[in-house]
Amino acid sequence: MASRTSGLGTGNLADPFGAFRAQCEEALQKGYAAFQKKSGKPLPEVDLHSTLESPPDPSFGQLASSISFELSRTQKTNPMAIAKDIAIASAHLEQLPLVASVEAAEPGYVNFRVNIAKLADLTVGKILQEGSTYGLLKTDQPKRVIVEHTSANPARPIHIATAKGGFFGDALTRLLMARGHDTKARFYIDDAGRQVAIMAYGYRLLGEPGPKEKSDHFVGKIYSITAALVEVAEAKKRLELLRKTQASDLDMIAANKALDEWVGVAADLQAKYPAEFEWLSQAVANDADPNVSVQELTQKYEKGEPATRELVRKVTQMVLNGHEETLRRAFIHFDEWDWEGDVLWSGRVAEVLDRLKETGFATNKGRSWEFDAARVVETFNLKEKLGVSPSFEVPPLTLTRSDGTTLYTARDIAYSMYKFEKADRVITVIGVEQSIAQFQLRVALWVLGHKKEAQNYYHFPIGIVSLEGQKMSARRGRYVTLDQVLDEAVARSAAEVNKRSADLSPDLRKRVAENIAISAVRYAVLSVEAAKSTNFVWDRALNFEANSAPFINYAYTRGLGILRKLGRIEPATRFERLVEPVERELVLQLAKFPETFATAADTLDPTQLCLYANVLAQRFHEFYEKVDISHLSDEELKRQRAGLVVAVRTVLLAAADLLGLRLAERM
RNA sequence: GGGCUGGUAGUCGAGCCAGGACCAAGACGGCGGCCUGCGGAGCCGCAAAUCGUGGGUUCGAAUCCCACCCAGCCCGCCA
């Protein structure tokens, strides 16, 4: 096998397009050297690699250099003349078999045409030889990486904004792992926050019932109702206080508005869940001060008081059971689940607080503690060192409440240090709205002496997902759950599958519908840049015509259809006859998989891979329509084309796998 | 008020970081074609874009710089 790929020249042959690129660069190097000699003048060093780009049309070849434009400036010659000189001098291609020709083209490009026969032979041969590992170029700097993502608040079902983080986090994990990094996905359970305390409070008031439906939905309902009732009580209390102290009109108006809003939310919930609402509102009304009760729960839980601990863990675990079920169904995998409570009880948070106080950058404000991040940033010039713009706003970070309990970001500092005990690089996938808190966290790491960690901590921001133009809000009960979306998607794809593939067994049809639907939802999310805000619209999210996942799956299915029809045939060993235009485009796309994969992994950009898979499917559909395979009498060509189909199938599967899509064999 | 992110056809969205053939990918929607040889969730074609606005840098700007406008988000003893 090794001898078969010999004679293809320099470059990494596991990366066919990269090898072609390397050979073009070499040719260009020769051309440039000759041009330098000829001109007699000293010429600047040019980064030849960066002048090579993909031309817009195949008639210009497959790579082109814009070097002549750059040189024309210093040479005072027109670019076309330079391009001609370089092209002629570059055209000694004996050692560069993947380059078919070098030509100058108006207005001054140096165009490189690929030897498609050689490239096809190399690419398809490699893919068939390496199978599912083709293109998964390993990094030469493997790191231990933790991707923390999803980390849905365990007080309600996972909604689609959280799920967006889950899909990206999961794809990043797969990408980095394939790239050769020792990568683990972790879910951070925020069991010590106020939302969970409210949930536990309501759950206890109801007498700690067992779930009557999917457990996260059941408990989430209790949480939403309790939160609304507690907020209404709190808002009323505040309003009264303001009246007594004769506060400004502005404050009164704001307080009134807040009360109105929560009364409205409560009314909605009452209409939706009358029985639970009735019971809880009675119970909350009997409590002299619901907020104090919630506060007590938080305090006791931080201290690890046994009864509270048992209550909170019990109800949180119920929600998590629901989360796990949803995540499993959505193909989102975790290696570890970390409880915030454990971080707290281990003493890590207290230690972080103590050490921050020792630095002198934490000050006592009233009875709470505040971290003066801005002063740290200024003192150590951290904006530059941590890579944010000079104008980036750095407000102070409140670490503890005046009752001594800790706040989320303070606990998160301790947790991030915990993550760094197990990793060289930490990626936290969380909403863009947390940019400031995430930066404050890095500043804290720095001032605590973890400079390298502060630099290797990466916030992967997820853009806002809104619902009919409004931000989703679990507290306000305004959200769409991932379960709802998956159910609806499966229902729609099942209807299609039943219509199109009535011959399949009901069991198989069900599995196919599930794979298509869930892959479609994942693809819809992953194919749009993570940081972009999106408006969730049911019809668009579930429109399979507009979604590329079924399109990609269909290419895969069609490929299998051809191979099934061919039956067992003798495999080809050469692929040099795949030179039709549609074959050339298909081979080129296959040849580009390794570099696409490496870039996607290194730049943390799964979206690029989505686009790649879409284009590959597109090229395959074009190929499918244009050329024959099973009807060929030319047996050798038939075998070579069959090999190409196998190669496409292999790469589609590999790309899908990196994105967490499951391709159905029939659909 | 300040900060962050974004603004590309009717709609959604690549390209921007690493400026080049951009008279700008792809998709939805619109219009018109293609099933008596591999499954039409497909293929082929047409129409549709002041690349938010105005300056600047450059041989060359959707891409870099500056100003402004618009939208979303953040600036909490929530997360």
Side-chain angles (χ1 to χ4, degrees):
Chain A
M1 226 35 186
S3 65
R4 210 194 57 78
T5 50
S6 70
L8 288 166
T10 50
N12 177 5
L13 298 182
D15 174 10
F17 197 80
F20 170 58
R21 186 190 300 280
Q23 292 184 19
C24 291
E25 210 175 314
E26 218 172 298
L28 193 58
Q29 177 64 52
K30 280 186 206 166
Y32 186 48
F35 180 76
Q36 268 176 317
K37 200 180 275 176
K38 185 185 163 199
S39 83
K41 286 175 274 182
L43 288 179
E45 283 301 309
V46 181
D47 176 15
L48 299 174
H49 185 85
S50 72
T51 71
L52 282 171
E53 61 190 359
S54 290
D57 190 283
S59 66
F60 296 133
Q62 284 64 46
L63 277 176
S65 171
S66 55
I67 185 173
S68 336
F69 298 102
E70 211 155 319
L71 293 176
S72 71
R73 194 174 323 170
T74 54
Q75 290 306 100
K76 308 260 191 296
T77 324
N78 84 62
M80 191 56 195
I82 300 175
K84 276 183 178 157
D85 278 352
I86 292 182
I88 290 165
S90 294
H92 301 290
L93 301 171
E94 305 78 39
Q95 312 298 325
L96 306 171
L98 290 176
V99 184
S101 69
V102 187
E103 283 161 21
E106 292 288 356
Y109 291 93
V110 181
N111 290 339
F112 297 87
R113 189 158 286 124
V114 73
N115 182 328
I116 191 61
K118 288 253 163 58
L119 186 74
D121 197 35
L122 170 63
T123 304
V124 179
K126 270 286 173 213
I127 296 170
L128 298 191
Q129 178 191 329
E130 294 188 13
S132 61
T133 62
Y134 165 75
L136 304 182
L137 303 175
K138 299 297 176 216
T139 175
D140 48 14
Q141 290 179 306
K143 299 234 161 66
R144 295 175 305 152
V145 183
I146 283 175
V147 180
E148 183 224 309
H149 67 86
T150 308
S151 302
N153 208 312
R156 30 114 173 133
I158 293 176
H159 61 65
I160 53 173
T162 316
K164 181 175 173 186
F167 291 138
F168 272 98
D170 190 62
L172 286 174
T173 307
R174 290 168 194 263
L175 232 31
L176 292 168
M177 200 142 54
R179 186 78 169 114
H181 299 291
D182 175 12
T183 312
K184 297 281 184 258
R186 302 185 85 104
F187 186 114
Y188 185 40
I189 305 160
D190 178 22
D191 54 326
R194 182 176 154 85
Q195 299 199 14
V196 163
I198 290 171
M199 162 179 82
Y201 170 66
Y203 183 66
R204 192 174 58 191
L205 287 178
L206 275 180
E208 306 186 24
K212 295 180 177 58
E213 57 192 306
K214 189 160 175 289
S215 56
D216 51 339
H217 290 254
F218 177 68
V219 179
K221 192 157 74 184
I222 297 171
Y223 164 73
S224 293
I225 298 168
T226 311
L229 292 168
V230 170
E231 293 290 350
V232 168
E234 176 69 5
K236 280 184 179 160
K237 215 175 94 184
R238 254 184 65 81
L239 206 56
E240 208 145 301
L241 196 74
L242 288 173
R243 253 186 224 123
K244 276 187 197 150
T245 57
Q246 310 212 322
S248 71
D249 287 355
L250 223 64
D251 286 350
M252 291 292 286
I253 291 168
N256 256 313
K257 206 182 144 201
L259 176 60
D260 282 354
E261 199 188 337
W262 283 112
V263 167
V265 172
D268 287 349
L269 289 165
Q270 182 171 25
K272 257 157 90 183
Y273 317 114
E276 291 88 346
F277 188 91
E278 205 47 48
W279 182 283
L280 278 167
S281 70
Q282 292 280 335
V284 171
N286 287 335
D287 189 340
D289 196 332
N291 269 291
V292 169
S293 304
V294 170
Q295 194 185 347
E296 273 174 14
L297 277 172
T298 310
Q299 288 168 346
K300 286 180 178 169
Y301 192 66
E302 284 216 6
K303 287 189 193 124
E305 193 263 327
T308 307
R309 193 167 154 153
E310 198 186 328
L311 168 72
V312 171
R313 283 286 163 117
K314 178 181 166 190
V315 64
T316 303
Q317 189 59 57
M318 280 173 68
V319 177
L320 289 175
N321 290 345
H323 287 181
E324 282 187 73
E325 188 185 326
T326 304
L327 292 167
R328 203 177 314 121
R329 189 178 178 207
F331 314 148
I332 298 175
H333 170 81
F334 286 96
D335 299 291
E336 301 289 342
W337 298 68
D338 299 315
W339 292 79
E340 199 177 27
D342 290 342
V343 179
L344 218 33
W345 304 330
S346 71
R348 289 166 190 275
V349 180
E351 199 194 326
V352 162
L353 293 176
D354 285 345
R355 287 180 53 202
L356 278 175
K357 290 172 194 170
E358 283 165 21
T359 64
F361 290 104
T363 51
N364 202 309
K365 290 267 166 169
R367 292 162 63 200
S368 75
W369 283 86
E370 202 174 84
F371 173 53
D372 192 350
R375 222 172 85 232
V376 179
V377 166
E378 184 138 342
T379 308
F380 301 103
N381 191 22
L382 290 193
K383 283 183 181 171
E384 199 188 327
K385 287 176 180 142
L386 296 181
V388 303
S389 84
S391 48
F392 194 85
E393 198 172 32
V394 191
L397 169 68
T398 306
L399 297 165
T400 63
R401 300 186 180 94
S402 44
D403 70 354
T405 54
T406 57
L407 260 7
Y408 181 82
T409 308
R411 300 189 294 266
D412 205 10
I413 297 167
Y415 177 51
S416 67
M417 283 166 59
Y418 173 76
K419 288 187 279 190
F420 273 114
E421 287 170 21
K422 301 172 188 318
D424 312 307
R425 192 172 175 212
V426 167
I427 298 168
T428 303
V429 180
I430 200 163
V432 63
E433 66 272 22
Q434 296 212 37
S435 299
I436 289 178
Q438 289 286 305
F439 184 68
Q440 289 166 328
L441 186 156
R442 296 173 68 204
V443 172
L445 286 178
W446 180 286
V447 81
L448 290 174
H450 300 283
K451 298 181 183 177
K452 221 166 61 202
E453 287 78 0
Q455 281 165 323
N456 289 327
Y457 184 98
Y458 188 78
H459 171 207
F460 187 91
I462 300 295
I464 304 289
V465 180
S466 51
L467 184 59
E468 283 146 11
Q470 289 192 77
K471 199 188 168 192
M472 282 195 218
S473 164
R475 292 206 301 165
R476 290 170 174 75
R478 187 172 61 225
Y479 59 92
V480 175
T481 67
L482 179 55
D483 289 325
Q484 282 175 277
V485 174
L486 296 183
D487 286 345
E488 184 61 29
V490 170
R492 293 192 189 193
S493 81
E496 285 300 301
V497 173
N498 290 338
K499 199 164 66 193
R500 293 169 197 268
S501 302
D503 58 313
L504 302 179
S505 76
D507 237 31
L508 186 56
R509 287 205 303 260
K510 200 177 149 204
R511 213 167 59 230
V512 166
E514 186 93 6
N515 280 341
I516 291 173
I518 286 160
S519 297
V521 172
R522 280 186 76 113
Y523 189 95
V525 172
L526 288 172
S527 60
V528 180
E529 204 183 314
K532 246 179 193 168
S533 17
T534 44
N535 192 8
F536 182 85
V537 182
W538 276 98
D539 277 341
R540 194 152 49 219
L542 296 172
N543 180 358
F544 290 171
E545 296 297 312
N547 189 296
S548 291
F551 178 80
I552 292 165
N553 201 145
Y554 188 50
Y556 179 73
T557 305
R558 279 181 140 180
L560 285 177
I562 296 172
L563 297 173
R564 200 179 303 120
K565 174 145 187 169
L566 286 174
R568 210 171 290 143
I569 63 166
E570 197 189 323
T573 56
R574 300 294 310 272
F575 303 95
E576 84 291 354
R577 291 181 59 193
L578 304 172
V579 295
E580 294 276 330
V582 282
E583 289 169 328
R584 181 190 63 209
E585 295 308 313
L586 190 51
V587 164
L588 277 164
Q589 187 64 11
L590 290 170
K592 285 176 181 172
F593 180 62
E595 64 179 32
T596 306
F597 158 72
T599 311
D602 295 346
T603 59
L604 307 180
D605 190 0
T607 303
Q608 270 185 57
L609 205 60
C610 283
L611 295 167
Y612 172 86
N614 187 38
V615 172
L616 179 57
Q618 209 168 316
R619 297 289 165 266
F620 182 74
H621 285 303
E622 288 158 16
F623 164 79
Y624 181 95
E625 300 281 343
K626 200 90 174 213
V627 304
D628 281 330
I629 298 177
S630 64
H631 330 291
L632 286 176
S633 54
D634 181 340
E635 288 298 321
E636 174 58 19
L637 188 56
K638 184 195 278 189
R639 282 195 294 270
Q640 294 200 8
R641 285 184 174 163
L644 179 57
V645 174
V646 173
V648 170
R649 199 193 67 137
T650 304
V651 174
L652 279 178
L653 210 50
D657 199 50
L658 291 166
L659 296 168
L661 311 178
R662 295 201 183 167
L663 300 181
E665 308 221 326
R666 302 278 309 267
M667 62 187 289

